[in-house]
Amino acid sequence: MVTHNRSFAGLTRSELAALVPELLLCGHLIDRSGMPHTIGAFGREGMTQVAIEEWQVSSPVYTRRMQDALGFRGDGVETIFKGLQLDIGAPPQFLDFRFRVHDRDHGEFWLDHCGALADVEPLGGEYVRAMCHDIEDPTFDATALATNAHAQVRPIHRPPREPADRVPVCAWRVTIDPSHEPPPVPRNADIVQASVAASVPLSPIDPAEEGASDYAGPLLSDIRFADFSRSALIRIAEEVCLQHHLLTMGFLIAIRERVDEERAREIGRKQFAGVAGLTSERIRSVLGLSDDAESLATVLDLHPALNPRQYVGSRIDAVDDTVTLILDRRCGGVADRVWPSLLTPENLDPLDALVRGVSPYYECQVIAATADELAVRILRGDDAASEATEVALTRISTGSNFAFADRGIPLPLTVV
């Protein structure tokens, strides 16, 4: 028997540097997974409102966590821009943010490429306006609010694009001014702030290790994750996984306000399943894994649905062709009613989608369930399962096959 319980601590520095941007991108795909089902339940306008609410309550919490983890707390535009570079709302290159800093209180950013726009432009102008106007206006301000209550993010130009191939696709101005009235605290922000996820302690960073242990220096044109130390990358990976759970928390809070608990859990499982399958595929690919039981155990060990371990208690055992997952039902992820809480003896659909991202031949079987633990055996069957509808819908996103590029040494961005 081989027990997998090291999570990101089991990876090398170079493996972590390759995995972290994948985790950021997969966090962005959470919305691509959830929104088709939200549209089905509430229509386009209802989907828009859910998206606004989920990002408003989650992004300030996880933004401050990342600032504290990497030591770049501050109250100026540089701090806001650094936070965006480490945010699942702005995965590097897929949403290609470029920055200009004029002074502490003034700056601009623009997107040379926007994968999110590429996903919605084929749906027509109403969906583009919903994302680039209705959703971005309040959620950009909410993210900036984590740094300075008097920060405002306002468009210079934005889609719908005129002409249709206009680049940059959008541009925004950030201004900090004491005369700016802070936006009201979003409804339900207190729920997220009081969650286990908001305050769970994660792995410490060792400042003596080779590589950067923080982001306290100048704002860089790009983050090159290979420049961070191994322990810093472990902490970044854990924080990014926590961002997944916090965004899902905001999503489920908004859904639960609109439907009963049974229907909310149904929508939540569909969102979970869609992104879980694609995330498994991308983890397997970036680490060059196969589809055997050992590879499956490794994917489970690193999957954001089951991380960080301080928040989602689990153990993964691999014996021959069989993998066993034991989920601690007393963990923070269950208490916060996010992804782990949606796995029950009666419904393992998201876990089925997750393991079939490694191989369509895997199937999950409950072997024990108590108030404290859920034990699931994962076996290789004789027949390949069809791809889950939820995964197929998420795969429509251009993020499903997006490839990251090495951009070389990043440049420090100084005041112009």
Side-chain angles (χ1 to χ4, degrees), residues 87-296:
D87 190 320
I88 58 173
Q93 301 182 27
F94 186 63
L95 269 67
D96 194 10
F97 277 69
R98 307 286 89 196
F99 302 99
R100 180 181 294 118
V101 179
H102 298 296
D103 56 39
R104 172 193 172 277
D105 296 331
H106 301 86
E108 298 170 13
F109 64 84
W110 60 95
L111 273 68
D112 283 344
H113 169 76
C114 181
L117 180 63
D119 289 348
V120 301
E121 274 188 325
L123 303 178
E126 288 185 342
Y127 279 92
V128 171
R129 288 185 181 88
M131 182 179 76
C132 300
H133 294 243
D134 301 337
I135 296 173
E136 295 292 23
D137 283 353
T139 56
F140 269 147
D141 275 352
T143 300
L145 180 66
T147 298
N148 194 307
H150 299 287
Q152 288 185 349
V153 183
R154 295 295 179 265
I156 300 170
H157 69 82
R158 56 179 162 178
R161 291 194 280 176
E162 296 178 2
D165 59 351
R166 180 176 187 174
V167 289
V169 299
C170 66
W172 301 76
R173 182 175 293 112
V174 181
T175 306
I176 298 172
D177 190 320
S179 68
H180 290 162
E181 187 71 24
V185 176
R187 188 178 73 260
N188 298 321
D190 58 328
I191 299 175
V192 180
Q193 190 60 57
S195 68
V196 178
S199 58
V200 60
L202 299 179
S203 299
I205 297 173
D206 182 357
E209 283 185 344
E210 180 182 359
S213 60
D214 58 39
Y215 193 10
L219 171 71
L220 300 174
S221 57
D222 290 297
I223 287 185
R224 190 169 66 170
F225 290 102
D227 292 337
F228 283 100
S229 70
R230 183 171 174 274
S231 62
L233 288 167
I234 290 170
R235 178 59 177 270
I236 293 169
E238 291 175 348
E239 293 288 351
V240 172
C241 289
L242 205 61
Q243 290 184 19
H244 290 224
H245 293 287
L246 283 160
L247 183 64
T248 297
M249 190 185 310
F251 175 79
L252 289 171
I253 289 170
I255 296 295
R256 284 176 170 127
E257 286 200 329
R258 290 163 169 81
V259 296
D260 62 31
E261 180 63 17
E262 182 178 357
R263 178 68 172 133
R265 291 174 70 83
E266 177 187 352
I267 294 171
R269 287 192 184 100
K270 290 179 181 297
Q271 177 239 42
F272 183 3
V275 73
L278 274 182
T279 300
S280 291
E281 288 182 21
R282 294 194 67 98
I283 292 172
R284 177 192 166 196
S285 176
V286 74
L287 295 180
L289 302 173
S290 71
D291 63 354
D292 59 12
E294 183 69 17
S295 295
L296 171 61

Side-chain angles (χ1 to χ4, degrees), residues 38-40 42-49 126-127 129-130 134:
T38 313
I39 293 169
F42 312 117
R44 176 178 53 79
E45 291 183 357
M47 175 276 294
T48 300
Q49 194 57 43
E126 288 185 342
Y127 279 92
R129 288 185 181 88
D134 301 337

Side-chain angles (χ1 to χ4, degrees), residues 319-395:
V319 182
D320 299 326
D321 290 334
T322 301
V323 175
T324 302
L325 167 67
I326 300 175
L327 178 67
D328 183 353
R329 301 175 86 175
R330 300 161 297 180
C331 69
V334 173
D336 283 342
R337 303 168 73 197
V338 292
W339 284 335
S341 72
L342 301 178
L343 297 176
T344 67
E346 297 75 30
N347 195 314
L348 295 176
D349 289 351
L351 190 58
D352 281 328
L354 189 159
V355 301
R356 288 168 183 160
V358 177
S359 169
Y361 287 91
Y362 284 120
E363 55 187 42
C364 299
Q365 301 174 356
V366 175
I367 55 176
T370 68
D372 294 341
E373 291 184 341
L374 175 64
V376 177
R377 180 178 294 125
I378 305 161
L379 304 169
R380 181 179 285 272
D382 296 328
D383 300 316
S386 300
E387 181 171 72
T389 300
E390 295 82 2
V391 177
L393 285 171
T394 311
R395 195 182 298 283

